[in-house]
């Protein structure tokens, strides 16, 4: 019995496995979990093909492969999510992940923005706690447009 690396307590074959083999993730959280699993398994092609927009522009296959290979992945915790369900076009997932690199333990937190394009979820952009930034790296105020592209104010969308 192989549990899924994403921490769902489900079997890999019934959790992230189908998505890494080509099935469409039904929600932003499912895509987020499957991307974590792909990192733990070194499936950089999956990471690359599930990026779009600013995330795709910033993606470095070489950097991702080096990071995945040098990391002992210790766990993923989903801390929040907004929208990102099957009927939605945008969503956010807040999470924390832990690992070890060069014998040093680390823990990182992030809020990821997801967007559905032609019926498929993609990782679009991210924000690390302590600073809100859009694709261009500008600080986002509560009344600024949401960087996910919804057309709503940040406070009423991903900042809610």
């Amino acid at each position: 019995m192989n549990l899924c690396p994403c921490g769902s307590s489900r079997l890999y074959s019934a959790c992230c496995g189908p998505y890494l083999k080509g099935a469409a993730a039904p929600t932003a959280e499912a895509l987020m979990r499957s991307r974590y699993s792909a990192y733990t398994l070194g499936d950089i092609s999956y990471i690359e093909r599930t990026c779009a927009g600013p995330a795709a522009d910033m993606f470095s296959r070489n950097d991702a492969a080096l990071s995945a290979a040098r990391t002992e992945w210790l766990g993923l915790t989903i801390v929040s999510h907004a929208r990102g369900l099957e009927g939605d076009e945008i969503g956010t997932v807040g999470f924390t992940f832990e690992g070890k690199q060069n014998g040093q333990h680390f823990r990182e937190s992030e809020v990821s923005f997801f967007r559905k394009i032609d019926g498929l979820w993609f990782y679009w952009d991210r924000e690390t706690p302590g600073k809100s930034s859009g694709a261009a790296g500008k600080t986002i105020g509560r009344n600024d447009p949401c960087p996910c592209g919804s057309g709503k104010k940040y406070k009423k969308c991903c900042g809610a």
Side-chain angles (χ1 to χ4, degrees), residues 29-76:
E29 183 177 334
L31 182 64
M32 174 36 254
R33 288 180 174 280
S34 67
R35 287 174 53 83
Y36 175 84
S37 292
Y39 272 110
T40 70
L41 300 169
D43 189 345
I44 304 308
S45 293
Y46 181 78
I47 299 298
E48 185 172 29
R49 76 176 170 265
T50 57
C51 288
D57 294 341
M58 295 185 306
F59 183 78
S60 166
R61 186 176 181 82
N62 188 50
D63 289 349
L66 284 172
S67 177
R70 293 179 179 165
T71 303
E72 177 186 351
W73 301 95
L74 301 177
L76 170 71

